[in-house]
Amino acid sequence: MSDLIGYLVTGLGIGAGFALVASGLVAIYRVTRVVNFAQGAFAVLAAMLAASLLGAGVPHGLAELGGVTLGALTGLIVGAVAIGRPGTSPGTSLIVTLGLGVLAYAVEILIWGDQPRSYPGVPGVADLAGARLQAHYLLIIAVTVPVFALMAWFFTRTDLGRALSACASNRYAAQVVGIDVRRMGLLAFTIGGALGGLAGVLTTPVQQVTFDSDVALIVNGFAAAVLGGLTRPVIALAGGLLLGVAQTLAAGYGGGAYQVEVALVLMLTVMIVQAARTGPVVETAR
C-alpha cells in the first residue's frame, strides 16, 4: 500500500508538469486554432536558463523566475513568427511552430551543449502514510493548483481575460466588437510560453533536462490537452494528472520503458472516440 501511495503522489507531481504544458497548448489553441509544437521548447529553454543562473550563484526563486520570463518571451517571438503575418492559416502556423521547435535544438546545443542538466529542488524526503517520496513533488503540486485557479480567475474576472475568451468563443464576433484578434493571439502565445517555462523549472529538479526533452513534454502535454478537445484547461489539468499517475504506475509495476507508450495509447484512444462522436465532416460549397 505504501508503494501505491508513493506512486500516486509522484504521478500527480509528474502529471502536474504535463498539465502545465497542456494548459499552454490549450491557451494558444483556443485563441488562434494553432497547435503549437514548440511548446516543449519553452520548458527546455526555461529549465536550461534556470540551471545556468543557479550555477552562477543566483538564488532560487529569481533563477526560476528568469527561466519563466525567458519562456514567455520565447512564446511571444514564436507567436510573432507563426501568426504575425495576416492571413496565415492555422495549418501553416503549425508547421512554422514545428520548425521553430527544431531551431530551438540548435540554439540549446550552441549555448548549453548536449549534456543533461538539473539543479536541486526542495531538499529532503516526505513521509506520507508510510510512503517515502521526494518532497519536491509536493511543491510541483502546490504550485500547479493555484496557477490553474489564477488562470480561471484571469479568464473570467478580468477584461483582458474576457477578451481572450471572446476570441476563443467566436473570433469573428470578437473582431466586430473591436477586439484585436492578432494581439490576443500574441498574448496567448506569451501565456503559453510562461506556462511551458513554469513546467520546465518545476520538473527539472526531479527529471533531468536535455536539448531534446521537449519531445516527451509535447507528447504528454498534447495527450493531456486532447482530452478536452484542446479547448478546456480544467480537462487538460485532469488529463495531465491522470497521465502522470498512469505512467508512474506503469513504470513502477511494469517497467519505465512503457511510459511514452501510455501517453500515445491514451491520446489515440481519445482522438478515435472524439472522431466517432463527431461523425463525418461534410464540406459545404462557399
Side-chain angles (χ1 to χ4, degrees), residues 2-18 131-134 137 140-141 206-207 220 239-263 266:
S2 61
D3 287 343
L4 177 60
I5 294 174
Y7 291 148
L8 290 176
V9 177
T10 300
L12 290 176
I14 294 174
F18 296 159
R132 295 175 63 82
L133 61 146
Q134 294 183 52
Y137 285 113
I140 299 175
I141 299 171
V206 293
Q207 293 182 327
N220 288 294
L241 297 178
L242 174 63
L243 187 57
V245 170
Q247 288 193 4
T248 304
L249 291 175
Y253 293 113
Y258 300 103
Q259 288 179 296
V260 175
E261 285 77 0
V262 170
L266 177 63

Side-chain angles (χ1 to χ4, degrees), residues 79-98:
V81 176
I83 65 171
R85 183 178 179 181
T88 304
S89 68
T92 301
S93 296
L94 182 153
I95 296 173
V96 170
T97 65
L98 182 61

Side-chain angles (χ1 to χ4, degrees), residues 60-78:
H60 276 289
L62 290 179
E64 286 84 353
L65 179 60
V68 173
T69 302
L70 176 62
L73 291 175
T74 306
L76 176 60
I77 294 171
V78 170

Side-chain angles (χ1 to χ4, degrees), residues 27-35 83 90 171 184-186 188-189:
I28 293 170
Y29 182 82
R30 291 178 74 218
V31 177
T32 65
R33 289 299 181 262
V34 174
V35 178
I83 65 171
R171 60 188 294 111
M184 291 299 103
L186 293 176
F189 266 94

Side-chain angles (χ1 to χ4, degrees), residues 41-273:
F42 303 155
V44 174
L45 287 168
M48 292 287 194
L49 179 61
S52 295
L53 292 176
L54 287 167
V58 177
H60 276 289
L62 290 179
E64 286 84 353
L65 179 60
V68 173
T69 302
L70 176 62
L73 291 175
T74 306
L76 176 60
I77 294 171
V78 170
V81 176
I83 65 171
R85 183 178 179 181
T88 304
S89 68
T92 301
S93 296
L94 182 153
I95 296 173
V96 170
T97 65
L98 182 61
L100 291 174
V102 175
L103 176 62
Y105 280 13
V107 174
E108 291 154 7
I109 293 175
L110 180 65
I111 298 175
W112 291 288
D114 59 356
Q115 297 302 308
R117 286 177 175 259
S118 186
Y119 48 82
V122 176
V125 177
D127 193 325
L128 188 64
R132 295 175 63 82
L133 61 146
Q134 294 183 52
H136 190 82
Y137 285 113
L138 300 179
L139 174 66
I140 299 175
I141 299 171
V143 171
T144 300
V145 172
V147 164
F148 272 84
L150 181 62
M151 287 175 57
W153 172 83
F154 172 74
F155 282 112
T156 58
R157 301 292 184 179
T158 67
D159 291 338
L160 190 57
R162 292 190 186 103
L164 284 166
S165 297
C167 293
S169 299
N170 191 320
R171 60 188 294 111
Y172 300 107
Q175 286 179 312
V176 169
V177 299
I179 297 175
D180 189 333
V181 175
R182 176 179 171 275
R183 184 174 298 177
M184 291 299 103
L186 293 176
L187 177 59
F189 266 94
T190 304
I191 293 172
L195 290 168
L198 182 60
V201 300
L202 282 175
T203 58
T204 297
V206 293
Q207 293 182 327
Q208 288 185 329
V209 64
T210 62
F211 70 94
D212 59 351
S213 295
D214 66 310
V215 175
L217 288 170
I218 192 64
V219 168
N220 288 294
F222 186 74
V226 80
L227 284 174
L230 290 169
T231 58
R232 289 178 285 181
V234 175
I235 303 299
L237 171 61
L241 297 178
L242 174 63
L243 187 57
V245 170
Q247 288 193 4
T248 304
L249 291 175
Y253 293 113
Y258 300 103
Q259 288 179 296
V260 175
E261 285 77 0
V262 170
L264 293 174
V265 169
L266 177 63
M267 179 172 60
L268 290 173
T269 301
V270 171
M271 293 177 71
I272 291 171
V273 171

